[in-house]
Amino acid sequence: MQGLTTGCGLANLTLPSLCQTYRLLHCTQPVAARKWKYHPERDLTPPEQFTNTNQPPDRHRLPIFPRTPNIWVSGGIKPPRQTKELWRMMGEEKVHNDLQLEQYGIVALTGGMLKHKHFEVLRMGVGRHVKPNESFSMYRVDAPYKPITDHGFGKRMGGGKGTIDGYGTPVRAGRVILEVGGKLVWKEVRPWLHTIAQKMPFECIAVNMEMLRKLKEEEARLLVTNKNPISFEWLVRNNMLNCQSKLSEYDQRWFGKFVYKDRELNKKWQLVTKAKYKGGN
């Protein structure tokens, strides 16, 4: 048996060596099993107990907002035309800046205007992932109510105030736009919630309750440990070199924060994220 050969193209292969070669090629452990053995999370642990999982009484998906407010649809009253009122998008949100469900949501980093098409992006994007009796979502902003006028493309200048082209909802920095709750974990919510946040007309971020708490704590810590007492707010409050006579009312109210798009203090939690304006100024 030691000198028995196969008699084929493989020269001088003994029977024991041939059997050993066959065993190595065809009897090894499956690749998937080897990978699972060294998987970093092979000892799976159940997620924490879910809270605030009660479904809304009406529906689990986001509602459909009308393109025009219902008060003007009947036609009995002519809708008024307003000015731009850019101050509604300046400054920092002080009220709706926390998650009520204490789970997940989308927060605006800068101010901007949400139109009807943006609400449709939110509704269709979130509606694909929430399931009945398991998860739900809700808006934290109002339906479009502010009229937006436009003269149209290719029109001559003048002619008075333009006609109403649509309606929008002004949003300030730090405002919670929507929330997602239910029996969900952050690892499965984060990918599609981040994708939806990138489609907004202004910069947004997808956060959970723990991230939101850490961002606020880190920003407060940086302000307390700052060793430079001279800041823009300190200069304005003390009216150094009579600067209040040259500054606008917005600078005296918000001290340069969330007002100018070409400044470093335009974004929420900028001290923590170290983000800067991408323009040339």
Side-chain angles (χ1 to χ4, degrees), residues 17 19-20 83 100 111 167 193 202 245:
S17 61
C19 295
Q20 185 177 4
T83 58
Q100 293 181 351
Y167 293 84
L193 201 63
F202 42 83
S245 61

Side-chain angles (χ1 to χ4, degrees), residues 85-102:
E85 294 183 345
L86 298 180
W87 57 268
R88 294 185 181 273
M89 294 172 281
M90 298 180 183
E92 182 181 7
E93 180 63 37
K94 297 293 186 180
V95 180
H96 303 281
N97 56 1
D98 205 354
L99 299 177
Q100 293 181 351
L101 300 178
E102 299 181 355

Side-chain angles (χ1 to χ4, degrees), residues 176-228:
V176 179
I177 298 177
L178 64 84
E179 290 192 48
V180 178
K183 300 176 182 179
L184 297 170
V185 295
W186 175 241
K187 289 186 178 180
E188 61 179 340
V189 175
R190 182 184 178 278
W192 56 266
L193 201 63
H194 174 74
T195 303
I196 297 173
Q198 298 301 313
K199 297 180 181 179
M200 293 293 99
F202 42 83
E203 293 193 42
C204 298
I205 183 175
V207 298
N208 56 17
M209 191 62 186
E210 184 68 17
M211 292 174 55
L212 196 61
R213 182 184 61 83
K214 289 184 178 180
L215 286 171
K216 293 181 180 180
E217 291 180 355
E218 180 65 16
E219 184 181 30
R221 187 192 66 83
L222 292 175
L223 293 176
V224 171
T225 58
N226 182 26
K227 296 182 179 180
N228 184 12

